[in-house]
Amino acid sequence: MSLETLIYVVTGLLVVGLPVLYVLRERSKSAEAAKTLEVSTLAGLDQPVSLHPVIDPNSCIGSGSCTKACPEKGILQLINGKAALVNPARCIGHGQCQAACPVDAITLVFGTEKRGVDIPHVKGNFETNVPGIFIAGELGGMGLIRNAVSQGRQAVESVAQQVKDDKSGEALDLVIVGAGPAGISASLQAKKEGLRFVTVDQEDLGGTIYTYPRQKLVMVQPMELPLHGPVKLKEVEKEPLLELLTTVVQNHNLEIKVGEKVSDIKREGHIYRVVTSKAEYKTRKVLLAIGRRGTPRKIGCPGEKSEKVTYRLLDPQKYHHKKILVVGGGDSAVEAALSLSQQPGNTVHLSYRGDKIFRIKEGNRTRLESAVEEGKVTMLLNSNVTRIEPDKVTIDQQGTAITLANDQVFVMIGGELPTEFLKGVGIEFERKFGQV
């Protein structure tokens, strides 16, 4: 082959071959993305739980800017040259996709046509329709820790402006309900502003983070805590994140009253009386940073108040050589059953009322199928727990009563949102079906 011919061949490969390879690769990625969306839909994971993007296909030019900007890789992908939310249930509302879109084809909304989300009425300064009561963090619809920290700080800045000329009387300036990221940020800002305040939490420091299983990975964006400064984390396990929050609280001598549940908030003129399980506080303002987890949903069967019944799993390693029943069909229940099945000597049954478990992450589904095949977890579908006794449980499975020897029961069937409590306080909600 002459040099001239070789040049023609190489040029031809570069001019024709590379574009063909590019097109083939993009088609392959598009097909893979479509498959991911199909799997998500079949698994019942096609409904976002929080703020999420809606893409206008007529405006989208398929630049891929949004897919690259999303910190949770693999949630947004291109299908046939248009951006698509292929893993809807994993979207937690970073919102960076909207900022990255060069043609404004993305709108961030709450809820979908199928699944409405109750969002409280909150003004730009985080004050609700009830004067003097503020909301920050996940309860407002955004689940990101960075957003919660920012909102907690901004809400207290608004409170400080409102109370700066009224320091008389015995009432506090502020009661902060919740000691998660929003509540801790708010407490730090309250101290910075010189407010008289107390912070209470029905459980422990960390809020929802505290309830995560041991070594659970948490996605965090860089943020700034008042008085403390920048926090540059991206992906961190539960324990070091809690340690960071605890250290910040200790370094700034914040008093967090844990194990203190708010049962009522009463308005008395311009003052609120916050009633908790341990005390009552008079205050001018109230900041609710309580998240959306709410109170664990109960089975409602005889014996459920037994000490062996719990509603979360913090450390699986504490349970070994036990006969365990996990109740539920979501990711939390499946992850608990899998973790417990890996501890020595455990016998684990998973009871679910439905005929199949489908609204779980694909990884959990694969792990569960393997655990069932290996005999590490026994599935009881179409079943309901009817009685819990000290050494056994009774389960109804399609009319057949099954009795299992039992040492421990984990009930993980979701939570009851504090919506009714908040409505009782006077806070108005709007159910959003794919609206801004």
Side-chain angles (χ1 to χ4, degrees):
M1 181 182 297
S2 68
L3 179 59
E4 184 178 2
T5 304
L6 180 61
I7 291 173
Y8 279 127
V9 170
V10 171
T11 303
L13 286 174
L14 291 175
V15 172
V16 179
L18 289 181
V20 168
L21 286 175
Y22 174 79
V23 170
L24 291 175
R25 192 185 70 162
E26 291 304 306
R27 283 183 179 176
S28 174
K29 289 168 64 176
S30 177
E32 188 176 335
K35 182 64 178 177
T36 301
L37 177 57
E38 181 184 356
V39 170
S40 297
T41 303
L42 290 174
L45 300 174
D46 57 339
Q47 300 297 308
V49 297
S50 180
L51 188 72
H52 64 278
V54 170
I55 299 104
D56 179 358
N58 296 320
S59 300
C60 178
I61 59 174
S63 68
S65 299
C66 56
T67 65
K68 296 171 186 169
C70 179
E72 309 278 343
K73 299 302 179 187
I75 292 178
L76 270 171
Q77 296 182 37
L78 294 179
I79 298 178
N80 297 326
K82 305 289 184 183
L85 197 59
V86 300
N87 260 314
R90 283 183 53 206
C91 180
I92 55 176
H94 286 280
Q96 294 182 22
C97 53
Q98 184 190 43
C101 180
V103 292
D104 295 329
I106 291 178
T107 305
L108 298 177
V109 303
F110 293 102
T112 67
E113 290 183 358
K114 295 181 180 176
R115 182 178 184 274
V117 174
D118 290 332
I119 301 296
H121 286 190
V122 177
K123 303 174 187 173
N125 66 349
F126 300 96
E127 189 171 20
T128 67
N129 61 290
V130 181
I133 296 185
F134 294 70
I135 284 178
E138 188 183 13
L139 183 60
M142 296 185 182
L144 288 174
I145 291 176
R146 180 187 60 184
N147 288 341
V149 166
S150 176
Q151 290 181 8
R153 172 181 56 78
Q154 293 177 62
V156 174
E157 287 174 346
S158 300
V159 169
Q161 282 296 314
Q162 293 187 12
V163 303
K164 65 180 181 181
D165 297 324
D166 183 12
K167 295 289 184 183
S168 61
E170 61 178 4
L172 296 166
D173 295 319
L174 176 65
V175 170
I176 299 169
V177 184
I184 291 174
S185 175
S187 301
L188 290 165
Q189 186 65 30
K191 182 159 189 176
K192 183 178 178 180
E193 301 279 358
L195 301 182
R196 294 178 296 167
F197 71 100
V198 298
T199 304
V200 301
D201 193 290
Q202 65 177 346
E203 294 190 274
D204 212 331
L205 192 152
T208 302
I209 298 171
Y210 173 76
T211 67
Y212 289 162
R214 187 169 176 264
Q215 296 182 328
K216 180 181 176 66
L217 281 178
V218 183
M219 290 296 296
V220 183
Q221 293 291 304
M223 56 190 174
E224 180 145 348
L225 284 168
L227 296 176
H228 176 77
V231 176
K232 296 180 180 178
L233 297 173
K234 287 189 176 180
E235 189 176 86
V236 61
E237 289 183 347
K238 163 193 170 178
E239 287 76 12
L241 181 56
L242 275 182
E243 184 178 349
L244 167 69
L245 296 176
T246 303
T247 300
V248 171
V249 167
Q250 291 173 346
N251 288 347
H252 295 285
N253 297 316
L254 291 181
E255 182 185 3
I256 308 291
K257 298 179 181 295
V258 298
E260 192 165 337
K261 182 177 181 179
V262 173
S263 58
D264 200 4
I265 300 175
K266 300 175 181 176
R267 187 173 183 177
E268 299 174 352
H270 297 295
I271 299 297
Y272 286 98
R273 185 185 296 274
V274 179
V275 182
T276 76
S277 54
K278 296 181 179 177
E280 288 190 10
Y281 304 97
K282 287 184 177 180
T283 179
R284 294 176 176 79
K285 310 292 179 185
V286 179
L287 172 61
L288 300 172
I290 54 179
R292 297 179 69 85
R293 180 166 45 92
T295 304
R297 186 170 288 126
K298 307 291 194 300
I299 300 173
C301 70
E304 189 174 2
K305 293 183 179 179
S306 163
E307 290 184 358
K308 72 175 186 178
V309 179
T310 60
Y311 298 88
R312 66 187 179 201
L313 175 62
L314 298 180
D315 188 356
Q317 293 183 2
K318 289 175 59 178
Y319 303 92
H320 51 84
H321 299 89
K322 299 286 186 185
K323 300 175 181 65
I324 297 170
L325 174 68
V326 180
V327 184
D331 281 307
S332 296
V334 170
E335 289 172 2
L338 291 170
S339 298
L340 291 164
S341 72
Q342 294 171 359
Q343 304 309 312
N346 283 345
T347 300
V348 180
H349 286 79
L350 178 61
S351 169
Y352 180 53
R353 63 182 179 178
D355 59 1
K356 65 177 181 179
I357 290 179
F358 66 102
R359 288 183 179 177
I360 59 173
K361 297 170 186 169
E362 189 56 28
N364 282 339
R365 180 187 309 286
T366 303
R367 291 173 59 209
L368 178 61
E369 289 173 352
S370 298
V372 171
E373 285 182 8
E374 294 168 7
K376 296 180 178 178
V377 175
T378 300
M379 288 289 304
L380 293 170
L381 296 173
N382 295 307
S383 67
N384 291 285
V385 181
T386 56
R387 179 175 290 277
I388 298 172
E389 297 176 74
D391 59 348
K392 61 186 177 183
V393 293
T394 303
I395 297 171
D396 177 90
Q397 188 175 39
Q398 294 184 299
T400 301
I402 300 172
T403 300
L404 300 173
N406 177 264
D407 300 310
Q408 189 74 42
V409 178
F410 292 91
V411 180
M412 297 178 169
I413 53 177
E416 296 174 349
L417 293 178
T419 308
E420 292 307 314
F421 167 73
L422 296 172
K423 286 180 178 176
V425 175
I427 296 173
E428 296 175 354
F429 282 76
E430 180 181 0
R431 181 158 294 180
K432 300 207 173 192
F433 294 89
Q435 299 157 290
V436 177

